[in-house]
Amino acid sequence: MNESRMIEVKRNILADNDRAADVFREARKAEGTFFIDVMASPGAGKTTLLLALIEQLRAHATCGVIEADLESEVDALKIKEAGVSSVELNTRGVCHVEMGMVEKALAAFGELRFDYLFLENIGNLVCPAEFDTGAHVRVMLLSVPEGYDKVYKYPPMFAVVDALIVTKSDYLSLNPDFDMDALYRQARVLNPDLDIFVVSARTGQGIDEFAAWVRSCRETAMV
Ligand SMILES: Nc1nc2c(ncn2[C@@H]2O[C@H](COP(=O)(O)OP(=O)(O)OP(=O)(O)O)[C@@H](O)[C@H]2O)c(=O)[nH]1
Ligand SMILES: [Mg+2]
């Protein structure tokens, strides 16, 4: 296939995916489910943050998690062990999640429906940014050990998300090179409306604020 044909095929795939995502988003809204896509590089703390967040939300709301992984059901089991409904979405090596996969994952919950449904996307700062997963909000995590200088390296990801969560803040004292001011500045040049949270699942820093943001996004989205 020549290059312009390849670009056209990709554009059509993304357009089909966007249409299916809009339908999915509206259907979840109609049934009262707020859907959040959580993206980050491998090991940034997605599963750990989800568990800490759900701990806060579950007193007054029902929660479910779609755990996407290239292989394995390690994270889906971790979530289930915490007493939270979870289905594994095994992409069999595909580095992003697209709508057909999300629809199948939701069907795997059977009749179960939730106030909050989370997608732990594939650990990757590139491909997931391109594919709308039908979520009402998209967030990305950047952990302190990864370094602050990622905005110019992965601009699509920083551009598409509603919030940036700087995770593992307990490592800040060990990583004096992490320039938080520069990260805020660079991220907001690219995405002026970006909400930014600094959290640690280890110490609990910032988890309350992030949970409050998630609750308020749900209220806004469900109107
Ligand atoms: N110090 C510290 N470690 C953390 C924090 N959050 C997560 N971790 C650790 O970081 C490692 C990776 O955390 P996970 O939650 O599995 O990260 P993930 O992004 O879900 O990883 P993948 O699903 O494999 O991409 C684990 O050893 C966690 O215990 C944190 O706030 N502080
Ligand atoms: Mg994980």
Side-chain angles (χ1 to χ4, degrees):
M1 205 185 297
N2 67 34
E3 199 177 333
S4 66
R5 176 78 187 119
M6 265 167 56
I7 291 169
E8 192 192 324
V9 168
K10 187 173 174 195
R11 201 179 291 136
N12 289 341
I13 289 171
L14 288 174
D16 286 348
N17 190 76
D18 285 351
R19 274 189 290 277
D22 285 339
V23 171
F24 188 89
R25 209 170 357 258
E26 278 307 305
R28 300 292 73 71
K29 179 180 169 180
E31 67 186 20
T33 297
F34 181 59
F35 185 30
I36 304 178
D37 186 353
V38 178
M39 301 180 284
S41 53
K46 299 179 289 299
T47 310
T48 309
L49 179 65
L50 280 175
L51 286 169
L53 174 64
I54 289 171
E55 201 48 43
Q56 295 242 346
L57 298 175
R58 68 199 290 190
H60 302 289
T62 52
C63 300
V65 182
I66 299 172
E67 274 295 342
D69 261 311
L70 297 170
E71 303 288 346
S72 98
E73 52 181 349
V74 174
D75 284 349
L77 290 175
K78 227 181 257 177
I79 299 282
K80 277 185 193 148
E81 275 164 20
V84 179
S85 296
S86 173
V87 299
E88 176 210 350
L89 191 173
N90 190 322
T91 64
R92 312 240 173 257
V94 176
C95 66
H96 64 268
V97 170
E98 50 192 65
M99 281 319 300
M101 301 175 188
V102 177
E103 284 153 1
K104 272 194 199 140
L106 183 71
F109 282 113
E111 297 296 304
L112 282 179
R113 286 296 177 267
F114 309 100
D115 299 316
Y116 294 92
L117 178 63
F118 298 93
L119 166 65
E120 178 176 336
N121 213 314
I122 298 295
N124 182 329
L125 281 181
V126 184
C127 314
E130 283 193 311
F131 285 84
D132 189 341
T133 53
H136 297 102
V137 297
R138 303 172 87 183
V139 303
M140 72 169 288
L141 278 49
L142 177 69
S143 66
V144 168
E146 289 172 83
Y148 75 95
D149 59 344
K150 299 293 175 280
V151 179
Y152 298 141
K153 297 180 183 179
Y154 305 99
M157 178 62 77
F158 284 85
V160 300
V161 292
D162 301 285
L164 164 65
I165 328 294
V166 182
T167 56
K168 309 192 190 182
S169 64
D170 49 298
Y171 279 128
L172 277 169
S173 58
L174 297 174
N175 191 357
D177 294 343
F178 195 96
D179 189 338
M180 193 69 81
D181 291 341
L183 172 62
Y184 271 60
R185 210 170 40 247
Q186 293 172 3
R188 288 208 168 117
V189 166
L190 198 64
N191 184 344
D193 299 326
L194 190 67
D195 287 310
I196 305 179
F197 299 90
V198 178
V199 310
S200 166
R202 198 65 82 226
T203 66
Q205 185 199 349
I207 304 289
D208 287 356
E209 289 84 348
F210 180 48
W213 180 86
V214 168
R215 284 194 198 95
S216 100
C217 287
R218 182 176 190 279
E219 275 169 29
T220 308
M222 292 295 121
V223 175

PDB file of all heavy atoms in Angstrom, residues 194-211:
ATOM      1  N   LEU A 194      -5.786  22.416  30.999  1.00  0.00           N
ATOM      2  CA  LEU A 194      -5.398  21.203  31.725  1.00  0.00           C
ATOM      3  C   LEU A 194      -5.479  21.397  33.239  1.00  0.00           C
ATOM      4  O   LEU A 194      -4.942  22.361  33.772  1.00  0.00           O
ATOM      5  CB  LEU A 194      -3.953  20.858  31.333  1.00  0.00           C
ATOM      6  CG  LEU A 194      -3.403  19.515  31.773  1.00  0.00           C
ATOM      7  CD1 LEU A 194      -4.142  18.383  31.054  1.00  0.00           C
ATOM      8  CD2 LEU A 194      -1.901  19.440  31.450  1.00  0.00           C
ATOM      9  N   ASP A 195      -6.142  20.476  33.931  1.00  0.00           N
ATOM     10  CA  ASP A 195      -6.095  20.447  35.395  1.00  0.00           C
ATOM     11  C   ASP A 195      -4.914  19.571  35.788  1.00  0.00           C
ATOM     12  O   ASP A 195      -4.689  18.517  35.165  1.00  0.00           O
ATOM     13  CB  ASP A 195      -7.399  19.878  35.957  1.00  0.00           C
ATOM     14  CG  ASP A 195      -8.537  20.873  35.825  1.00  0.00           C
ATOM     15  OD1 ASP A 195      -8.354  22.032  36.230  1.00  0.00           O
ATOM     16  OD2 ASP A 195      -9.597  20.501  35.278  1.00  0.00           O
ATOM     17  N   ILE A 196      -4.170  19.993  36.812  1.00  0.00           N
ATOM     18  CA  ILE A 196      -2.980  19.236  37.208  1.00  0.00           C
ATOM     19  C   ILE A 196      -3.054  18.906  38.702  1.00  0.00           C
ATOM     20  O   ILE A 196      -3.387  19.769  39.523  1.00  0.00           O
ATOM     21  CB  ILE A 196      -1.683  20.027  36.900  1.00  0.00           C
ATOM     22  CG1 ILE A 196      -1.647  20.436  35.414  1.00  0.00           C
ATOM     23  CG2 ILE A 196      -0.442  19.190  37.250  1.00  0.00           C
ATOM     24  CD1 ILE A 196      -0.420  21.241  34.997  1.00  0.00           C
ATOM     25  N   PHE A 197      -2.763  17.650  39.022  1.00  0.00           N
ATOM     26  CA  PHE A 197      -2.759  17.195  40.413  1.00  0.00           C
ATOM     27  C   PHE A 197      -1.407  16.540  40.684  1.00  0.00           C
ATOM     28  O   PHE A 197      -0.841  15.891  39.804  1.00  0.00           O
ATOM     29  CB  PHE A 197      -3.874  16.174  40.652  1.00  0.00           C
ATOM     30  CG  PHE A 197      -5.236  16.744  40.401  1.00  0.00           C
ATOM     31  CD1 PHE A 197      -5.806  16.677  39.130  1.00  0.00           C
ATOM     32  CD2 PHE A 197      -5.937  17.383  41.411  1.00  0.00           C
ATOM     33  CE1 PHE A 197      -7.060  17.221  38.875  1.00  0.00           C
ATOM     34  CE2 PHE A 197      -7.190  17.937  41.169  1.00  0.00           C
ATOM     35  CZ  PHE A 197      -7.748  17.858  39.906  1.00  0.00           C
ATOM     36  N   VAL A 198      -0.936  16.725  41.910  1.00  0.00           N
ATOM     37  CA  VAL A 198       0.301  16.067  42.338  1.00  0.00           C
ATOM     38  C   VAL A 198      -0.088  15.094  43.447  1.00  0.00           C
ATOM     39  O   VAL A 198      -0.663  15.521  44.462  1.00  0.00           O
ATOM     40  CB  VAL A 198       1.327  17.105  42.847  1.00  0.00           C
ATOM     41  CG1 VAL A 198       2.597  16.410  43.333  1.00  0.00           C
ATOM     42  CG2 VAL A 198       1.653  18.113  41.744  1.00  0.00           C
ATOM     43  N   VAL A 199       0.144  13.820  43.221  1.00  0.00           N
ATOM     44  CA  VAL A 199      -0.365  12.825  44.172  1.00  0.00           C
ATOM     45  C   VAL A 199       0.707  11.790  44.537  1.00  0.00           C
ATOM     46  O   VAL A 199       1.670  11.576  43.802  1.00  0.00           O
ATOM     47  CB  VAL A 199      -1.598  12.056  43.599  1.00  0.00           C
ATOM     48  CG1 VAL A 199      -2.649  13.003  43.048  1.00  0.00           C
ATOM     49  CG2 VAL A 199      -1.201  11.039  42.547  1.00  0.00           C
ATOM     50  N   SER A 200       0.448  11.163  45.663  1.00  0.00           N
ATOM     51  CA  SER A 200       1.223   9.976  46.027  1.00  0.00           C
ATOM     52  C   SER A 200       0.270   8.955  46.613  1.00  0.00           C
ATOM     53  O   SER A 200      -0.417   9.240  47.605  1.00  0.00           O
ATOM     54  CB  SER A 200       2.297  10.310  47.069  1.00  0.00           C
ATOM     55  OG  SER A 200       2.794   9.092  47.623  1.00  0.00           O
ATOM     56  N   ALA A 201       0.215   7.792  45.991  1.00  0.00           N
ATOM     57  CA  ALA A 201      -0.625   6.730  46.550  1.00  0.00           C
ATOM     58  C   ALA A 201       0.028   6.190  47.815  1.00  0.00           C
ATOM     59  O   ALA A 201      -0.636   5.588  48.654  1.00  0.00           O
ATOM     60  CB  ALA A 201      -0.798   5.617  45.513  1.00  0.00           C
ATOM     61  N   ARG A 202       1.330   6.431  47.957  1.00  0.00           N
ATOM     62  CA  ARG A 202       2.071   5.938  49.126  1.00  0.00           C
ATOM     63  C   ARG A 202       1.717   6.749  50.379  1.00  0.00           C
ATOM     64  O   ARG A 202       1.421   6.195  51.420  1.00  0.00           O
ATOM     65  CB  ARG A 202       3.575   6.037  48.827  1.00  0.00           C
ATOM     66  CG  ARG A 202       4.472   5.229  49.699  1.00  0.00           C
ATOM     67  CD  ARG A 202       4.306   3.716  49.573  1.00  0.00           C
ATOM     68  NE  ARG A 202       5.009   3.129  48.454  1.00  0.00           N
ATOM     69  CZ  ARG A 202       4.474   2.241  47.612  1.00  0.00           C
ATOM     70  NH1 ARG A 202       3.228   1.857  47.753  1.00  0.00           N
ATOM     71  NH2 ARG A 202       5.175   1.727  46.628  1.00  0.00           N
ATOM     72  N   THR A 203       1.745   8.098  50.242  1.00  0.00           N
ATOM     73  CA  THR A 203       1.486   8.958  51.419  1.00  0.00           C
ATOM     74  C   THR A 203       0.044   9.454  51.452  1.00  0.00           C
ATOM     75  O   THR A 203      -0.390  10.001  52.459  1.00  0.00           O
ATOM     76  CB  THR A 203       2.395  10.204  51.383  1.00  0.00           C
ATOM     77  OG1 THR A 203       2.013  11.009  50.242  1.00  0.00           O
ATOM     78  CG2 THR A 203       3.863   9.838  51.265  1.00  0.00           C
ATOM     79  N   GLY A 204      -0.656   9.335  50.334  1.00  0.00           N
ATOM     80  CA  GLY A 204      -2.037   9.842  50.275  1.00  0.00           C
ATOM     81  C   GLY A 204      -2.106  11.282  49.792  1.00  0.00           C
ATOM     82  O   GLY A 204      -3.198  11.828  49.598  1.00  0.00           O
ATOM     83  N   GLN A 205      -0.960  11.925  49.570  1.00  0.00           N
ATOM     84  CA  GLN A 205      -0.976  13.326  49.120  1.00  0.00           C
ATOM     85  C   GLN A 205      -1.803  13.478  47.836  1.00  0.00           C
ATOM     86  O   GLN A 205      -1.620  12.716  46.886  1.00  0.00           O
ATOM     87  CB  GLN A 205       0.457  13.822  48.836  1.00  0.00           C
ATOM     88  CG  GLN A 205       0.479  15.323  48.490  1.00  0.00           C
ATOM     89  CD  GLN A 205       1.759  15.765  47.775  1.00  0.00           C
ATOM     90  OE1 GLN A 205       2.739  15.028  47.700  1.00  0.00           O
ATOM     91  NE2 GLN A 205       1.748  16.982  47.252  1.00  0.00           N
ATOM     92  N   GLY A 206      -2.699  14.449  47.843  1.00  0.00           N
ATOM     93  CA  GLY A 206      -3.417  14.811  46.619  1.00  0.00           C
ATOM     94  C   GLY A 206      -4.558  13.893  46.199  1.00  0.00           C
ATOM     95  O   GLY A 206      -5.292  14.213  45.264  1.00  0.00           O
ATOM     96  N   ILE A 207      -4.731  12.770  46.877  1.00  0.00           N
ATOM     97  CA  ILE A 207      -5.766  11.814  46.450  1.00  0.00           C
ATOM     98  C   ILE A 207      -7.170  12.412  46.685  1.00  0.00           C
ATOM     99  O   ILE A 207      -8.053  12.286  45.832  1.00  0.00           O
ATOM    100  CB  ILE A 207      -5.629  10.451  47.176  1.00  0.00           C
ATOM    101  CG1 ILE A 207      -4.226   9.858  46.960  1.00  0.00           C
ATOM    102  CG2 ILE A 207      -6.720   9.479  46.722  1.00  0.00           C
ATOM    103  CD1 ILE A 207      -3.922   9.354  45.585  1.00  0.00           C
ATOM    104  N   ASP A 208      -7.343  13.095  47.841  1.00  0.00           N
ATOM    105  CA  ASP A 208      -8.653  13.727  48.127  1.00  0.00           C
ATOM    106  C   ASP A 208      -9.020  14.723  47.038  1.00  0.00           C
ATOM    107  O   ASP A 208     -10.157  14.752  46.556  1.00  0.00           O
ATOM    108  CB  ASP A 208      -8.605  14.523  49.444  1.00  0.00           C
ATOM    109  CG  ASP A 208      -8.575  13.615  50.643  1.00  0.00           C
ATOM    110  OD1 ASP A 208      -8.660  12.389  50.457  1.00  0.00           O
ATOM    111  OD2 ASP A 208      -8.468  14.144  51.762  1.00  0.00           O
ATOM    112  N   GLU A 209      -8.060  15.563  46.659  1.00  0.00           N
ATOM    113  CA  GLU A 209      -8.316  16.601  45.646  1.00  0.00           C
ATOM    114  C   GLU A 209      -8.669  15.952  44.307  1.00  0.00           C
ATOM    115  O   GLU A 209      -9.582  16.393  43.614  1.00  0.00           O
ATOM    116  CB  GLU A 209      -7.095  17.520  45.461  1.00  0.00           C
ATOM    117  CG  GLU A 209      -6.821  18.449  46.628  1.00  0.00           C
ATOM    118  CD  GLU A 209      -6.004  17.788  47.736  1.00  0.00           C
ATOM    119  OE1 GLU A 209      -5.820  16.539  47.728  1.00  0.00           O
ATOM    120  OE2 GLU A 209      -5.564  18.518  48.639  1.00  0.00           O
ATOM    121  N   PHE A 210      -7.933  14.913  43.958  1.00  0.00           N
ATOM    122  CA  PHE A 210      -8.207  14.243  42.688  1.00  0.00           C
ATOM    123  C   PHE A 210      -9.601  13.589  42.722  1.00  0.00           C
ATOM    124  O   PHE A 210     -10.373  13.685  41.764  1.00  0.00           O
ATOM    125  CB  PHE A 210      -7.108  13.219  42.384  1.00  0.00           C
ATOM    126  CG  PHE A 210      -7.314  12.475  41.095  1.00  0.00           C
ATOM    127  CD1 PHE A 210      -7.624  13.150  39.921  1.00  0.00           C
ATOM    128  CD2 PHE A 210      -7.217  11.088  41.051  1.00  0.00           C
ATOM    129  CE1 PHE A 210      -7.837  12.473  38.725  1.00  0.00           C
ATOM    130  CE2 PHE A 210      -7.430  10.401  39.874  1.00  0.00           C
ATOM    131  CZ  PHE A 210      -7.746  11.090  38.709  1.00  0.00           C
ATOM    132  N   ALA A 211      -9.938  12.965  43.838  1.00  0.00           N
ATOM    133  CA  ALA A 211     -11.263  12.325  43.952  1.00  0.00           C
ATOM    134  C   ALA A 211     -12.370  13.377  43.851  1.00  0.00           C
ATOM    135  O   ALA A 211     -13.399  13.137  43.213  1.00  0.00           O
ATOM    136  CB  ALA A 211     -11.364  11.552  45.269  1.00  0.00           C
TER     137      ALA A 211
END
